[in-house]
PDB file of all heavy atoms in Angstrom:
ATOM      1  N   ALA A   6       7.589  14.601  -3.941  1.00 98.00           N
ATOM      2  CA  ALA A   6       8.162  13.282  -3.963  1.00 98.00           C
ATOM      3  C   ALA A   6       7.179  12.168  -4.253  1.00 98.00           C
ATOM      4  O   ALA A   6       6.023  12.219  -3.767  1.00 98.00           O
ATOM      5  CB  ALA A   6       8.907  12.987  -2.656  1.00 98.00           C
ATOM      6  N   ASP A   7       7.608  11.245  -5.040  1.00 97.00           N
ATOM      7  CA  ASP A   7       6.804  10.012  -5.256  1.00 97.00           C
ATOM      8  C   ASP A   7       7.120   9.027  -4.208  1.00 97.00           C
ATOM      9  O   ASP A   7       8.032   8.198  -4.289  1.00 97.00           O
ATOM     10  CB  ASP A   7       7.121   9.457  -6.654  1.00 97.00           C
ATOM     11  CG  ASP A   7       6.230   8.258  -7.036  1.00 97.00           C
ATOM     12  OD1 ASP A   7       5.284   7.938  -6.254  1.00 97.00           O
ATOM     13  OD2 ASP A   7       6.468   7.610  -8.056  1.00 97.00           O
ATOM     14  N   THR A   8       6.321   9.074  -3.142  1.00 97.00           N
ATOM     15  CA  THR A   8       6.512   8.202  -1.969  1.00 97.00           C
ATOM     16  C   THR A   8       5.721   6.949  -2.048  1.00 97.00           C
ATOM     17  O   THR A   8       5.818   6.047  -1.132  1.00 97.00           O
ATOM     18  CB  THR A   8       6.129   8.950  -0.687  1.00 97.00           C
ATOM     19  OG1 THR A   8       4.782   9.391  -0.737  1.00 97.00           O
ATOM     20  CG2 THR A   8       7.052  10.209  -0.429  1.00 97.00           C
ATOM     21  N   ALA A   9       4.887   6.837  -3.032  1.00 96.00           N
ATOM     22  CA  ALA A   9       3.917   5.711  -3.156  1.00 96.00           C
ATOM     23  C   ALA A   9       4.698   4.302  -3.060  1.00 96.00           C
ATOM     24  O   ALA A   9       4.103   3.389  -2.439  1.00 96.00           O
ATOM     25  CB  ALA A   9       3.124   5.804  -4.420  1.00 96.00           C
ATOM     26  N   PRO A  10       5.806   4.113  -3.747  1.00 97.00           N
ATOM     27  CA  PRO A  10       6.400   2.752  -3.678  1.00 97.00           C
ATOM     28  C   PRO A  10       6.744   2.288  -2.284  1.00 97.00           C
ATOM     29  O   PRO A  10       6.534   1.194  -1.958  1.00 97.00           O
ATOM     30  CB  PRO A  10       7.690   2.920  -4.587  1.00 97.00           C
ATOM     31  CG  PRO A  10       7.308   4.057  -5.509  1.00 97.00           C
ATOM     32  CD  PRO A  10       6.491   4.996  -4.701  1.00 97.00           C
ATOM     33  N   ASP A  11       7.290   3.273  -1.454  1.00 97.00           N
ATOM     34  CA  ASP A  11       7.663   2.861  -0.087  1.00 97.00           C
ATOM     35  C   ASP A  11       6.425   2.687   0.789  1.00 97.00           C
ATOM     36  O   ASP A  11       6.453   1.900   1.693  1.00 97.00           O
ATOM     37  CB  ASP A  11       8.704   3.825   0.464  1.00 97.00           C
ATOM     38  CG  ASP A  11      10.022   3.709  -0.173  1.00 97.00           C
ATOM     39  OD1 ASP A  11      10.447   2.587  -0.605  1.00 97.00           O
ATOM     40  OD2 ASP A  11      10.698   4.791  -0.359  1.00 97.00           O
ATOM     41  N   LEU A  12       5.421   3.552   0.589  1.00 97.00           N
ATOM     42  CA  LEU A  12       4.204   3.404   1.343  1.00 97.00           C
ATOM     43  C   LEU A  12       3.476   2.094   0.956  1.00 97.00           C
ATOM     44  O   LEU A  12       2.911   1.444   1.858  1.00 97.00           O
ATOM     45  CB  LEU A  12       3.270   4.617   1.098  1.00 97.00           C
ATOM     46  CG  LEU A  12       3.758   5.911   1.747  1.00 97.00           C
ATOM     47  CD1 LEU A  12       3.002   7.150   1.114  1.00 97.00           C
ATOM     48  CD2 LEU A  12       3.525   5.872   3.244  1.00 97.00           C
ATOM     49  N   ALA A  13       3.466   1.766  -0.309  1.00 96.00           N
ATOM     50  CA  ALA A  13       2.838   0.539  -0.744  1.00 96.00           C
ATOM     51  C   ALA A  13       3.603  -0.668  -0.192  1.00 96.00           C
ATOM     52  O   ALA A  13       3.002  -1.695   0.175  1.00 96.00           O
ATOM     53  CB  ALA A  13       2.836   0.465  -2.255  1.00 96.00           C
ATOM     54  N   TYR A  14       4.949  -0.592  -0.087  1.00 97.00           N
ATOM     55  CA  TYR A  14       5.736  -1.637   0.512  1.00 97.00           C
ATOM     56  C   TYR A  14       5.295  -1.884   1.924  1.00 97.00           C
ATOM     57  O   TYR A  14       5.148  -3.048   2.310  1.00 97.00           O
ATOM     58  CB  TYR A  14       7.201  -1.334   0.420  1.00 97.00           C
ATOM     59  CG  TYR A  14       8.069  -2.316   1.211  1.00 97.00           C
ATOM     60  CD1 TYR A  14       8.500  -3.557   0.656  1.00 97.00           C
ATOM     61  CD2 TYR A  14       8.444  -2.062   2.527  1.00 97.00           C
ATOM     62  CE1 TYR A  14       9.261  -4.389   1.322  1.00 97.00           C
ATOM     63  CE2 TYR A  14       9.182  -2.950   3.265  1.00 97.00           C
ATOM     64  CZ  TYR A  14       9.574  -4.159   2.658  1.00 97.00           C
ATOM     65  OH  TYR A  14      10.310  -5.056   3.376  1.00 97.00           O
ATOM     66  N   ALA A  15       5.105  -0.838   2.680  1.00 97.00           N
ATOM     67  CA  ALA A  15       4.721  -0.934   4.064  1.00 97.00           C
ATOM     68  C   ALA A  15       3.313  -1.642   4.148  1.00 97.00           C
ATOM     69  O   ALA A  15       3.093  -2.501   5.022  1.00 97.00           O
ATOM     70  CB  ALA A  15       4.729   0.382   4.789  1.00 97.00           C
ATOM     71  N   ALA A  16       2.397  -1.174   3.308  1.00 97.00           N
ATOM     72  CA  ALA A  16       1.040  -1.748   3.323  1.00 97.00           C
ATOM     73  C   ALA A  16       1.069  -3.190   2.899  1.00 97.00           C
ATOM     74  O   ALA A  16       0.401  -4.052   3.501  1.00 97.00           O
ATOM     75  CB  ALA A  16       0.143  -0.957   2.398  1.00 97.00           C
ATOM     76  N   ASN A  17       1.844  -3.506   1.876  1.00 97.00           N
ATOM     77  CA  ASN A  17       1.912  -4.923   1.431  1.00 97.00           C
ATOM     78  C   ASN A  17       2.666  -5.800   2.399  1.00 97.00           C
ATOM     79  O   ASN A  17       2.445  -7.016   2.444  1.00 97.00           O
ATOM     80  CB  ASN A  17       2.590  -4.964   0.073  1.00 97.00           C
ATOM     81  CG  ASN A  17       1.642  -4.714  -1.074  1.00 97.00           C
ATOM     82  OD1 ASN A  17       0.452  -5.074  -1.005  1.00 97.00           O
ATOM     83  ND2 ASN A  17       2.125  -4.066  -2.129  1.00 97.00           N
ATOM     84  N   SER A  18       3.490  -5.213   3.247  1.00 97.00           N
ATOM     85  CA  SER A  18       4.209  -5.997   4.240  1.00 97.00           C
ATOM     86  C   SER A  18       3.198  -6.571   5.227  1.00 97.00           C
ATOM     87  O   SER A  18       3.377  -7.708   5.763  1.00 97.00           O
ATOM     88  CB  SER A  18       5.241  -5.148   4.985  1.00 97.00           C
ATOM     89  OG  SER A  18       6.309  -4.790   4.082  1.00 97.00           O
ATOM     90  N   LEU A  19       2.115  -5.813   5.537  1.00 96.00           N
ATOM     91  CA  LEU A  19       1.066  -6.319   6.401  1.00 96.00           C
ATOM     92  C   LEU A  19       0.347  -7.483   5.723  1.00 96.00           C
ATOM     93  O   LEU A  19       0.063  -8.493   6.407  1.00 96.00           O
ATOM     94  CB  LEU A  19       0.043  -5.204   6.643  1.00 96.00           C
ATOM     95  CG  LEU A  19       0.477  -4.023   7.494  1.00 96.00           C
ATOM     96  CD1 LEU A  19      -0.684  -3.005   7.637  1.00 96.00           C
ATOM     97  CD2 LEU A  19       0.969  -4.427   8.814  1.00 96.00           C
ATOM     98  N   ARG A  20       0.081  -7.359   4.469  1.00 96.00           N
ATOM     99  CA  ARG A  20      -0.554  -8.462   3.714  1.00 96.00           C
ATOM    100  C   ARG A  20       0.290  -9.722   3.735  1.00 96.00           C
ATOM    101  O   ARG A  20      -0.168 -10.819   3.936  1.00 96.00           O
ATOM    102  CB  ARG A  20      -0.908  -8.009   2.313  1.00 96.00           C
ATOM    103  CG  ARG A  20      -1.958  -6.946   2.215  1.00 96.00           C
ATOM    104  CD  ARG A  20      -2.121  -6.463   0.811  1.00 96.00           C
ATOM    105  NE  ARG A  20      -2.570  -7.489  -0.064  1.00 96.00           N
ATOM    106  CZ  ARG A  20      -3.862  -7.823  -0.316  1.00 96.00           C
ATOM    107  NH1 ARG A  20      -4.838  -7.245   0.310  1.00 96.00           N
ATOM    108  NH2 ARG A  20      -4.143  -8.833  -1.154  1.00 96.00           N
ATOM    109  N   LEU A  21       1.577  -9.561   3.406  1.00 96.00           N
ATOM    110  CA  LEU A  21       2.493 -10.667   3.391  1.00 96.00           C
ATOM    111  C   LEU A  21       2.629 -11.347   4.738  1.00 96.00           C
ATOM    112  O   LEU A  21       2.687 -12.561   4.853  1.00 96.00           O
ATOM    113  CB  LEU A  21       3.854 -10.251   2.829  1.00 96.00           C
ATOM    114  CG  LEU A  21       3.897  -9.836   1.356  1.00 96.00           C
ATOM    115  CD1 LEU A  21       5.199  -9.169   1.055  1.00 96.00           C
ATOM    116  CD2 LEU A  21       3.674 -11.065   0.486  1.00 96.00           C
ATOM    117  N   ALA A  22       2.648 -10.554   5.808  1.00 94.00           N
ATOM    118  CA  ALA A  22       2.751 -11.108   7.157  1.00 94.00           C
ATOM    119  C   ALA A  22       1.528 -11.895   7.515  1.00 94.00           C
ATOM    120  O   ALA A  22       1.558 -12.862   8.323  1.00 94.00           O
ATOM    121  CB  ALA A  22       2.956 -10.000   8.173  1.00 94.00           C
ATOM    122  N   ASP A  23       0.395 -11.581   6.893  1.00 91.00           N
ATOM    123  CA  ASP A  23      -0.891 -12.353   7.130  1.00 91.00           C
ATOM    124  C   ASP A  23      -1.125 -13.385   6.093  1.00 91.00           C
ATOM    125  O   ASP A  23      -2.203 -13.981   6.065  1.00 91.00           O
ATOM    126  CB  ASP A  23      -2.023 -11.312   7.151  1.00 91.00           C
ATOM    127  CG  ASP A  23      -1.992 -10.325   8.332  1.00 91.00           C
ATOM    128  OD1 ASP A  23      -1.361 -10.703   9.322  1.00 91.00           O
ATOM    129  OD2 ASP A  23      -2.580  -9.259   8.220  1.00 91.00           O
ATOM    130  N   GLY A  24      -0.096 -13.644   5.225  1.00 95.00           N
ATOM    131  CA  GLY A  24      -0.231 -14.699   4.243  1.00 95.00           C
ATOM    132  C   GLY A  24      -1.059 -14.334   3.059  1.00 95.00           C
ATOM    133  O   GLY A  24      -1.557 -15.222   2.350  1.00 95.00           O
ATOM    134  N   VAL A  25      -1.181 -13.022   2.808  1.00 94.00           N
ATOM    135  CA  VAL A  25      -2.025 -12.570   1.657  1.00 94.00           C
ATOM    136  C   VAL A  25      -1.100 -11.990   0.634  1.00 94.00           C
ATOM    137  O   VAL A  25      -0.139 -11.260   0.917  1.00 94.00           O
ATOM    138  CB  VAL A  25      -3.049 -11.492   2.121  1.00 94.00           C
ATOM    139  CG1 VAL A  25      -3.911 -11.011   0.960  1.00 94.00           C
ATOM    140  CG2 VAL A  25      -3.884 -12.047   3.242  1.00 94.00           C
ATOM    141  N   PRO A  26      -1.329 -12.273  -0.646  1.00 97.00           N
ATOM    142  CA  PRO A  26      -0.429 -11.752  -1.706  1.00 97.00           C
ATOM    143  C   PRO A  26      -0.465 -10.196  -1.741  1.00 97.00           C
ATOM    144  O   PRO A  26      -1.466  -9.580  -1.436  1.00 97.00           O
ATOM    145  CB  PRO A  26      -1.058 -12.272  -3.003  1.00 97.00           C
ATOM    146  CG  PRO A  26      -1.796 -13.474  -2.599  1.00 97.00           C
ATOM    147  CD  PRO A  26      -2.335 -13.166  -1.177  1.00 97.00           C
ATOM    148  N   PRO A  27       0.657  -9.557  -2.130  1.00 97.00           N
ATOM    149  CA  PRO A  27       0.684  -8.087  -2.248  1.00 97.00           C
ATOM    150  C   PRO A  27      -0.159  -7.572  -3.275  1.00 97.00           C
ATOM    151  O   PRO A  27      -0.448  -8.241  -4.324  1.00 97.00           O
ATOM    152  CB  PRO A  27       2.196  -7.816  -2.483  1.00 97.00           C
ATOM    153  CG  PRO A  27       2.685  -9.047  -3.138  1.00 97.00           C
ATOM    154  CD  PRO A  27       1.965 -10.200  -2.528  1.00 97.00           C
ATOM    155  N   LEU A  28      -0.581  -6.311  -3.171  1.00 97.00           N
ATOM    156  CA  LEU A  28      -1.367  -5.590  -4.174  1.00 97.00           C
ATOM    157  C   LEU A  28      -0.357  -4.850  -5.073  1.00 97.00           C
ATOM    158  O   LEU A  28       0.707  -4.408  -4.638  1.00 97.00           O
ATOM    159  CB  LEU A  28      -2.343  -4.567  -3.533  1.00 97.00           C
ATOM    160  CG  LEU A  28      -3.463  -5.158  -2.764  1.00 97.00           C
ATOM    161  CD1 LEU A  28      -4.212  -4.003  -2.086  1.00 97.00           C
ATOM    162  CD2 LEU A  28      -4.419  -5.928  -3.669  1.00 97.00           C
ATOM    163  N   PRO A  29      -0.686  -4.736  -6.376  1.00 96.00           N
ATOM    164  CA  PRO A  29       0.132  -3.910  -7.247  1.00 96.00           C
ATOM    165  C   PRO A  29       0.265  -2.471  -6.720  1.00 96.00           C
ATOM    166  O   PRO A  29      -0.739  -1.935  -6.201  1.00 96.00           O
ATOM    167  CB  PRO A  29      -0.573  -3.959  -8.605  1.00 96.00           C
ATOM    168  CG  PRO A  29      -1.407  -5.209  -8.554  1.00 96.00           C
ATOM    169  CD  PRO A  29      -1.810  -5.304  -7.105  1.00 96.00           C
ATOM    170  N   VAL A  30       1.453  -1.899  -6.880  1.00 94.00           N
ATOM    171  CA  VAL A  30       1.640  -0.559  -6.453  1.00 94.00           C
ATOM    172  C   VAL A  30       0.609   0.452  -7.055  1.00 94.00           C
ATOM    173  O   VAL A  30       0.168   1.373  -6.421  1.00 94.00           O
ATOM    174  CB  VAL A  30       3.072  -0.043  -6.752  1.00 94.00           C
ATOM    175  CG1 VAL A  30       3.228   1.468  -6.410  1.00 94.00           C
ATOM    176  CG2 VAL A  30       4.042  -0.865  -5.988  1.00 94.00           C
ATOM    177  N   GLU A  31       0.275   0.181  -8.273  1.00 93.00           N
ATOM    178  CA  GLU A  31      -0.666   1.097  -9.002  1.00 93.00           C
ATOM    179  C   GLU A  31      -2.071   1.111  -8.386  1.00 93.00           C
ATOM    180  O   GLU A  31      -2.816   2.136  -8.511  1.00 93.00           O
ATOM    181  CB  GLU A  31      -0.744   0.752 -10.453  1.00 93.00           C
ATOM    182  CG  GLU A  31       0.500   0.963 -11.274  1.00 93.00           C
ATOM    183  CD  GLU A  31       1.112   2.354 -11.000  1.00 93.00           C
ATOM    184  OE1 GLU A  31       0.343   3.369 -11.072  1.00 93.00           O
ATOM    185  OE2 GLU A  31       2.301   2.470 -10.728  1.00 93.00           O
ATOM    186  N   ILE A  32      -2.450   0.083  -7.667  1.00 94.00           N
ATOM    187  CA  ILE A  32      -3.684   0.055  -6.928  1.00 94.00           C
ATOM    188  C   ILE A  32      -3.613   0.975  -5.719  1.00 94.00           C
ATOM    189  O   ILE A  32      -4.616   1.671  -5.382  1.00 94.00           O
ATOM    190  CB  ILE A  32      -4.132  -1.339  -6.592  1.00 94.00           C
ATOM    191  CG1 ILE A  32      -4.542  -2.116  -7.779  1.00 94.00           C
ATOM    192  CG2 ILE A  32      -5.277  -1.401  -5.545  1.00 94.00           C
ATOM    193  CD1 ILE A  32      -4.953  -3.562  -7.547  1.00 94.00           C
ATOM    194  N   LEU A  33      -2.477   0.922  -5.050  1.00 95.00           N
ATOM    195  CA  LEU A  33      -2.353   1.669  -3.821  1.00 95.00           C
ATOM    196  C   LEU A  33      -1.873   3.142  -4.044  1.00 95.00           C
ATOM    197  O   LEU A  33      -2.053   4.025  -3.228  1.00 95.00           O
ATOM    198  CB  LEU A  33      -1.306   1.012  -2.943  1.00 95.00           C
ATOM    199  CG  LEU A  33      -1.650  -0.402  -2.461  1.00 95.00           C
ATOM    200  CD1 LEU A  33      -0.505  -1.083  -1.738  1.00 95.00           C
ATOM    201  CD2 LEU A  33      -2.885  -0.323  -1.518  1.00 95.00           C
ATOM    202  N   ARG A  34      -1.306   3.391  -5.238  1.00 94.00           N
ATOM    203  CA  ARG A  34      -0.759   4.735  -5.506  1.00 94.00           C
ATOM    204  C   ARG A  34      -1.748   5.886  -5.302  1.00 94.00           C
ATOM    205  O   ARG A  34      -1.415   6.875  -4.679  1.00 94.00           O
ATOM    206  CB  ARG A  34      -0.202   4.780  -6.948  1.00 94.00           C
ATOM    207  CG  ARG A  34       0.343   6.101  -7.386  1.00 94.00           C
ATOM    208  CD  ARG A  34       0.913   6.075  -8.783  1.00 94.00           C
ATOM    209  NE  ARG A  34       2.103   5.203  -8.834  1.00 94.00           N
ATOM    210  CZ  ARG A  34       3.326   5.680  -8.490  1.00 94.00           C
ATOM    211  NH1 ARG A  34       3.504   6.971  -8.140  1.00 94.00           N
ATOM    212  NH2 ARG A  34       4.356   4.879  -8.552  1.00 94.00           N
ATOM    213  N   PRO A  35      -2.989   5.792  -5.812  1.00 90.00           N
ATOM    214  CA  PRO A  35      -3.910   6.938  -5.627  1.00 90.00           C
ATOM    215  C   PRO A  35      -4.210   7.236  -4.168  1.00 90.00           C
ATOM    216  O   PRO A  35      -4.708   8.327  -3.852  1.00 90.00           O
ATOM    217  CB  PRO A  35      -5.209   6.499  -6.345  1.00 90.00           C
ATOM    218  CG  PRO A  35      -4.772   5.414  -7.307  1.00 90.00           C
ATOM    219  CD  PRO A  35      -3.605   4.727  -6.614  1.00 90.00           C
ATOM    220  N   LEU A  36      -3.935   6.238  -3.260  1.00 91.00           N
ATOM    221  CA  LEU A  36      -4.288   6.431  -1.858  1.00 91.00           C
ATOM    222  C   LEU A  36      -3.123   6.944  -1.043  1.00 91.00           C
ATOM    223  O   LEU A  36      -3.192   7.157   0.154  1.00 91.00           O
ATOM    224  CB  LEU A  36      -4.823   5.137  -1.264  1.00 91.00           C
ATOM    225  CG  LEU A  36      -6.040   4.555  -2.033  1.00 91.00           C
ATOM    226  CD1 LEU A  36      -6.326   3.100  -1.555  1.00 91.00           C
ATOM    227  CD2 LEU A  36      -7.234   5.438  -1.865  1.00 91.00           C
ATOM    228  N   ALA A  37      -1.951   7.100  -1.674  1.00 91.00           N
ATOM    229  CA  ALA A  37      -0.720   7.432  -0.928  1.00 91.00           C
ATOM    230  C   ALA A  37      -0.849   8.727  -0.185  1.00 91.00           C
ATOM    231  O   ALA A  37      -0.286   8.848   0.961  1.00 91.00           O
ATOM    232  CB  ALA A  37       0.480   7.438  -1.844  1.00 91.00           C
ATOM    233  N   SER A  38      -1.522   9.711  -0.753  1.00 83.00           N
ATOM    234  CA  SER A  38      -1.667  10.999  -0.058  1.00 83.00           C
ATOM    235  C   SER A  38      -2.576  10.948   1.177  1.00 83.00           C
ATOM    236  O   SER A  38      -2.531  11.822   2.006  1.00 83.00           O
ATOM    237  CB  SER A  38      -2.204  12.043  -1.063  1.00 83.00           C
ATOM    238  OG  SER A  38      -1.258  12.427  -1.975  1.00 83.00           O
ATOM    239  N   GLN A  39      -3.322   9.836   1.316  1.00 85.00           N
ATOM    240  CA  GLN A  39      -4.187   9.700   2.444  1.00 85.00           C
ATOM    241  C   GLN A  39      -3.530   8.994   3.581  1.00 85.00           C
ATOM    242  O   GLN A  39      -4.168   8.775   4.680  1.00 85.00           O
ATOM    243  CB  GLN A  39      -5.475   8.897   1.977  1.00 85.00           C
ATOM    244  CG  GLN A  39      -6.286   9.557   0.943  1.00 85.00           C
ATOM    245  CD  GLN A  39      -7.467   8.781   0.499  1.00 85.00           C
ATOM    246  OE1 GLN A  39      -7.979   7.931   1.220  1.00 85.00           O
ATOM    247  NE2 GLN A  39      -7.923   8.992  -0.722  1.00 85.00           N
ATOM    248  N   GLY A  40      -2.271   8.584   3.437  1.00 86.00           N
ATOM    249  CA  GLY A  40      -1.533   8.018   4.560  1.00 86.00           C
ATOM    250  C   GLY A  40      -2.110   6.617   5.000  1.00 86.00           C
ATOM    251  O   GLY A  40      -2.717   5.943   4.219  1.00 86.00           O
ATOM    252  N   ALA A  41      -1.851   6.330   6.268  1.00 91.00           N
ATOM    253  CA  ALA A  41      -2.220   5.034   6.747  1.00 91.00           C
ATOM    254  C   ALA A  41      -3.712   4.770   6.656  1.00 91.00           C
ATOM    255  O   ALA A  41      -4.123   3.616   6.296  1.00 91.00           O
ATOM    256  CB  ALA A  41      -1.818   4.931   8.201  1.00 91.00           C
ATOM    257  N   ARG A  42      -4.581   5.740   6.829  1.00 91.00           N
ATOM    258  CA  ARG A  42      -5.976   5.597   6.818  1.00 91.00           C
ATOM    259  C   ARG A  42      -6.431   4.996   5.467  1.00 91.00           C
ATOM    260  O   ARG A  42      -7.189   4.018   5.407  1.00 91.00           O
ATOM    261  CB  ARG A  42      -6.731   6.886   7.090  1.00 91.00           C
ATOM    262  CG  ARG A  42      -8.228   6.794   7.094  1.00 91.00           C
ATOM    263  CD  ARG A  42      -8.818   8.172   7.275  1.00 91.00           C
ATOM    264  NE  ARG A  42      -8.377   8.779   8.491  1.00 91.00           N
ATOM    265  CZ  ARG A  42      -9.197   8.971   9.588  1.00 91.00           C
ATOM    266  NH1 ARG A  42     -10.451   8.523   9.550  1.00 91.00           N
ATOM    267  NH2 ARG A  42      -8.713   9.540  10.607  1.00 91.00           N
ATOM    268  N   GLY A  43      -6.037   5.638   4.343  1.00 91.00           N
ATOM    269  CA  GLY A  43      -6.415   5.261   3.046  1.00 91.00           C
ATOM    270  C   GLY A  43      -5.728   3.924   2.649  1.00 91.00           C
ATOM    271  O   GLY A  43      -6.402   3.029   2.035  1.00 91.00           O
ATOM    272  N   LEU A  44      -4.500   3.728   2.937  1.00 95.00           N
ATOM    273  CA  LEU A  44      -3.743   2.553   2.522  1.00 95.00           C
ATOM    274  C   LEU A  44      -4.246   1.330   3.256  1.00 95.00           C
ATOM    275  O   LEU A  44      -4.372   0.277   2.664  1.00 95.00           O
ATOM    276  CB  LEU A  44      -2.257   2.755   2.727  1.00 95.00           C
ATOM    277  CG  LEU A  44      -1.623   3.761   1.783  1.00 95.00           C
ATOM    278  CD1 LEU A  44      -0.270   4.190   2.252  1.00 95.00           C
ATOM    279  CD2 LEU A  44      -1.463   3.154   0.367  1.00 95.00           C
ATOM    280  N   LEU A  45      -4.510   1.442   4.564  1.00 96.00           N
ATOM    281  CA  LEU A  45      -4.956   0.313   5.315  1.00 96.00           C
ATOM    282  C   LEU A  45      -6.340  -0.152   4.900  1.00 96.00           C
ATOM    283  O   LEU A  45      -6.668  -1.352   4.934  1.00 96.00           O
ATOM    284  CB  LEU A  45      -4.915   0.597   6.785  1.00 96.00           C
ATOM    285  CG  LEU A  45      -3.524   0.703   7.440  1.00 96.00           C
ATOM    286  CD1 LEU A  45      -3.628   1.032   8.906  1.00 96.00           C
ATOM    287  CD2 LEU A  45      -2.695  -0.529   7.138  1.00 96.00           C
ATOM    288  N   LYS A  46      -7.168   0.752   4.531  1.00 94.00           N
ATOM    289  CA  LYS A  46      -8.578   0.411   4.062  1.00 94.00           C
ATOM    290  C   LYS A  46      -8.429  -0.436   2.780  1.00 94.00           C
ATOM    291  O   LYS A  46      -9.144  -1.458   2.671  1.00 94.00           O
ATOM    292  CB  LYS A  46      -9.371   1.672   3.798  1.00 94.00           C
ATOM    293  CG  LYS A  46     -10.797   1.361   3.328  1.00 94.00           C
ATOM    294  CD  LYS A  46     -11.577   2.627   3.119  1.00 94.00           C
ATOM    295  CE  LYS A  46     -13.024   2.309   2.608  1.00 94.00           C
ATOM    296  NZ  LYS A  46     -13.797   3.540   2.368  1.00 94.00           N
TER     297      LYS A  46
END
């Protein structure tokens, strides 16, 4: 499954809550298999 869009949404939700613009999904996509650890970094 291509779960990257929903994982990226969760990561970008943190950025938006902190007043930071979201990152493009393609930047976060390679890190999706690493879960929270890779995405939060």
